[in-house]
Amino acid sequence: MLVDPARSYDLIGDVHGCAHTLAHLLDAMGYRKQRGVWRHSERQVIFLGDIIDRGPRIREALHLVWDMVDAGQAHCIIGNHEFNALGWYMPAPPESGKAFVREHSPRFAMLLQETFDQFEAYPDEWKAFRDWFYELPLYLENDRFRVVHACWDSAVIDRLRPRLENGCLDPAFVREAGIDGGFACKALDRLLRGTDMPLPDGLTMTSEEGFVRTFFRTKFWEANPSTYGDVVFQPGGLPEQVARVPLSQRQKSRLFLYGPEEPLLFVGHYWRRGTPGPIRDNLACLDYSAVKYGKLVAYRLDQETRLDPAKFVWVDVQR
């Protein structure tokens, strides 16, 4: 879906129900609440998805974002958590062997539970928001910059263009994503969750939320990696003995690369820590773990074609 290349935008990372923090960030950037909507006379917001789950004010955050989008003050793309919500309610195709696209497993139940709890008294609202998620594009782009929740893969997006109007999901595509290994499943995994690699020798890792993983998230911009440690992109990294393991030529050949000469790319999703700044001069991740008492981060984009470290702004989330 195209966005106006002549406008100035403030791109905001994963909100995850931190509505008060979002209001503080908007206020710090010169937005003011007028007629019930946060507005700026010269700029618009682009939200990078994952408005729901985990945080204390999910319903309030959704209303704030929806109101801005509806009033023409913002765009919002879909994140993996909004897709999880759609998949939770969508029956899977019979050949998938699953009851629902997002299985009702302890993992997905835990991820969605805060959202379910906060909408328990508002079932009609929750249904309306799920319908709205179908209006959120998977990606936004123009000649100067691109926006996607986790990873921009032009080959995948080129295949999606004729299938999805304005890059938005439809119920048939969500249902098709229930078939593991099918195109819909792989495409959404790539754009909404990024790239990953199996851990070596059957090793496993346990996430901060207690889930055992056999894969780890990888960089999609490392041109000449040598070891597992060169490509890891997740909080906490890898155990030292794993990080030192050399990558095989076959593993290197299968890595996906977003090139340094491609347009500016903004993603969320990855739970970064530390001081916000560019990963590379055409690549920024704006998710700095706001809901884990990190930072809610924005990038103030004007007409630059290379990222300016001074244009990252943020609000620290207090305990």
Side-chain angles (χ1 to χ4, degrees):
M1 183 174 179
L2 293 173
V3 282
D4 184 355
R7 286 203 69 110
S8 293
Y9 292 100
D10 295 312
L11 298 105
I12 298 179
D14 304 31
V15 173
H16 279 309
C18 297
H20 286 186
T21 304
L22 175 56
H24 290 319
L25 180 60
L26 290 168
D27 182 72
M29 294 192 296
Y31 289 76
R32 296 294 177 259
K33 198 169 187 180
Q34 301 167 346
R35 303 186 302 281
V37 178
W38 287 91
R39 303 171 188 267
H40 196 289
S41 60
E42 299 172 350
R43 309 179 70 86
Q44 289 182 343
V45 170
I46 297 177
F47 293 101
L48 300 186
D50 280 8
I51 309 302
I52 67 169
D53 293 348
R54 293 193 169 108
R57 295 176 180 87
I58 296 161
R59 179 171 172 260
E60 187 176 338
L62 276 173
H63 276 286
L64 189 160
V65 173
W66 186 89
D67 287 343
M68 289 187 72
V69 173
D70 186 58
Q73 300 299 308
H75 298 273
C76 183
I77 62 171
I78 195 167
N80 61 302
H81 283 257
E82 285 83 24
F83 170 69
N84 288 344
L86 294 178
W88 180 270
Y89 293 92
M90 178 63 70
E95 63 269 30
S96 70
K98 300 185 292 190
F100 294 93
V101 170
R102 273 291 176 254
E103 293 182 274
H104 293 191
S105 63
R107 175 170 180 257
F108 288 115
M110 191 214 73
L111 291 175
L112 287 159
Q113 194 59 53
E114 277 293 338
T115 300
F116 293 157
D117 289 348
Q118 292 177 40
F119 276 99
E120 186 174 8
Y122 308 95
D124 292 341
E125 270 190 27
W126 177 226
K127 174 62 167 60
F129 278 123
R130 297 199 312 273
D131 290 343
W132 180 59
F133 294 164
Y134 283 109
E135 300 176 23
L136 304 181
L138 285 162
Y139 56 87
L140 296 170
E141 62 178 329
N142 56 40
D143 291 340
R144 201 161 49 83
F145 71 92
R146 296 164 169 173
V147 182
V148 71
H149 185 64
C151 178
W152 186 280
D153 186 328
S154 292
V156 169
I157 288 171
D158 285 346
R159 286 186 65 184
L160 288 173
R161 291 186 205 280
R163 177 74 189 271
L164 299 179
E165 185 176 359
N166 294 322
C168 298
L169 296 176
D170 57 47
F173 197 84
V174 170
R175 181 173 166 83
E176 184 184 326
I179 302 174
D180 295 337
F183 170 68
C185 178
K186 288 182 176 180
L188 294 179
D189 208 48
R190 174 58 56 91
L191 302 188
L192 299 181
R193 298 184 65 250
T195 58
D196 56 29
M197 180 180 289
L199 286 160
D201 304 321
L203 292 175
T204 61
M205 293 178 62
T206 302
S207 72
E208 291 181 1
E209 294 167 321
F211 297 111
V212 177
R213 302 181 185 275
T214 59
F215 287 74
F216 66 96
R217 290 176 179 170
T218 55
K219 299 174 182 176
F220 51 86
W221 59 88
E222 195 69 39
N224 296 295
S226 298
T227 66
Y228 279 66
D230 290 337
V231 296
V232 64
F233 188 54
Q234 62 184 27
L238 294 170
E240 186 58 35
Q241 69 272 22
V242 176
R244 291 196 300 263
V245 173
L247 293 168
S248 69
Q249 198 57 47
R250 182 169 180 268
Q251 287 173 317
K252 291 180 186 179
S253 70
R254 296 180 65 183
L255 290 171
F256 174 74
L257 179 66
Y258 188 82
E261 301 307 316
E262 296 194 61
L264 296 179
L265 175 62
F266 297 93
V267 300
H269 187 61
Y270 291 101
W271 298 87
R272 300 202 77 197
R273 293 168 177 158
T275 302
I279 292 172
R280 204 170 57 191
D281 66 3
N282 71 330
L283 175 59
C285 173
L286 300 180
D287 178 13
Y288 278 77
S289 311
V291 77
K292 296 287 187 180
Y293 304 105
K295 297 169 169 60
L296 186 61
V297 177
Y299 183 85
R300 312 209 74 182
L301 179 67
D302 296 298
Q303 294 303 307
E304 67 269 27
T305 57
R306 300 289 95 176
L307 295 172
D308 180 352
K311 298 182 79 170
F312 288 80
V313 297
W314 61 86
V315 172
D316 289 295
V317 181
Q318 304 300 321
R319 287 184 179 272

